[in-house]
Amino acid sequence: QSTWGPFREYSLWMLFVVLCLAVAAKEVTVDYYEILQVKKTATQPEIRASFKRLSLLYHPDKQSKDTREEAAIKFSEINTAYETLGDPDKRVLYDNYGGKTFTNKMQASHSGVDDLSSSFYTNHPSVHSLDMSMFQGWNFNGKRAKGVLSQSDPWMIEFYAPWCVHCQEMVGSWKRAATALDGVVSFAAVNCEVHKALCNRWNIRGYPTVVFVSQDEAFQHIYNGAHDVDSIVEYARAMATNRVVTLNPNTFDETVIQGGQPWFVLFNAGQWCGPCTAAKPAWRRFAAKIAGTVAHAGIVDCDQHQAFCGEMGVQAYPHIRTFSSEGSRTGEPLFDVRQVDFSAGIELVGNVLKLTSSARHIDHDAHHDHGEL
């Protein structure tokens, strides 16, 4: 008894865990194919045709008062089913997982699903599926990789696992973002269930992980925003064009002091400074946000120009100073990064500048219209 007791307790415990995981995997109780009245072997045109026919048949505006409520429910079910089956990638997910969703791989493994590695985006021309061979030649010092990655820059790369519910939910947003930014930012994806070595090389620890990469600038940044299409597009567009002006002692006075416009200048250091490395992507986004206002954003590398940074009163990094034509040559500190979160601080400043700029445009337009009257 003393020998088998602990073993039996362990076995019962593991059985309990497996059962919990099986229950935790949510299942869709409806059959989307049945709702759209098509076979599972139906082609996309057949699915589309059936959807149009049923949508017209059950549209609430086509119903009598007695059938309108019931038809509205049916109409909603038809649209929900088509949202999945009408998208080839979402349809593959539905066919593979039967509507089940998982928060971790153990749940997926005990769900009875046969294939946990089927790739997304195989049917979308604007999202490129990547593997290890496509990164050959990339030394991340401004030298591009071979293959599809060599054809354009910059990139948004999603590292995902097919069983991951958040990855599945982001499929539509990722494809729409890729279409919206076609020719501006290229989009790619890596299936980490298939290309484990590649994902390990990128130190991927969670799904989905999205990385903005500029090979030409030897720059990368992990995206931590929302997974909706508007947030992804806004971020990628802001990161795609570097509006930060690189300054040095020879260009500073002519550009900033004598330029006649407000400047925000980040005095920064190299990779040895962790907060400085984190500040660069945020500063890049800040520069994009204030583009079109009266202000500009610049950066000074204090590793290269230590004496100049000392003259400017910079004692710690990262450090932001503001400059104007009426102010002093050394400017004024924007805020103390030891007391105010860097990203939150410049986000607030950027929003204020945009609002101020918009107010000025509105005021100008109002005066212009009044003059015409």
Side-chain angles (χ1 to χ4, degrees), residues 178-238:
T179 300
L181 293 174
D182 188 31
V184 179
V185 180
S186 297
F187 278 64
V190 178
N191 183 347
C192 290
E193 282 297 309
V194 176
H195 306 292
K196 292 183 173 64
L198 177 55
C199 295
N200 288 335
R201 179 177 176 180
W202 280 78
N203 197 33
I204 303 302
R205 294 292 179 266
Y207 308 116
T209 295
V210 174
V211 185
F212 172 86
V213 175
S214 173
Q215 299 176 86
D216 294 344
E217 297 182 60
F219 176 84
Q220 67 178 17
H221 180 242
I222 294 178
Y223 171 65
N224 291 312
H227 293 169
D228 62 280
V229 61
D230 291 338
S231 298
I232 295 171
V233 168
E234 180 185 3
Y235 168 84
R237 195 184 296 278

Side-chain angles (χ1 to χ4, degrees), residues 6 38 46 63 94 138 144 149 155 177 183 203-204 221 251 309:
V38 294
E46 289 173 339
Q63 308 301 314
Y94 180 78
W138 189 357
R144 290 191 182 185
L149 287 171
W155 287 83
N203 197 33
I204 303 302
H221 180 242
T251 62
C309 292

Side-chain angles (χ1 to χ4, degrees), residues 250-299:
N250 298 325
T251 62
F252 195 90
D253 282 3
E254 180 181 355
T255 305
V256 178
I257 306 303
Q258 302 168 15
Q261 292 182 314
W263 277 81
F264 295 85
V265 180
L266 172 63
F267 293 86
N268 216 27
Q271 293 185 352
W272 61 267
C273 168
C276 301
T277 301
K280 288 181 180 178
W283 196 244
R284 189 181 181 114
R285 293 185 69 184
F286 172 74
K289 174 165 285 192
I290 67 172
T293 69
V294 297
H296 303 276
I299 189 170

Side-chain angles (χ1 to χ4, degrees), residues 267-278 280 300-306 309 314-319:
F267 293 86
N268 216 27
Q271 293 185 352
W272 61 267
C273 168
C276 301
T277 301
K280 288 181 180 178
V300 176
D301 186 338
C302 290
D303 282 350
Q304 294 183 11
H305 309 293
Q306 292 184 9
C309 292
V314 178
Q315 299 178 346
Y317 314 116
H319 181 81

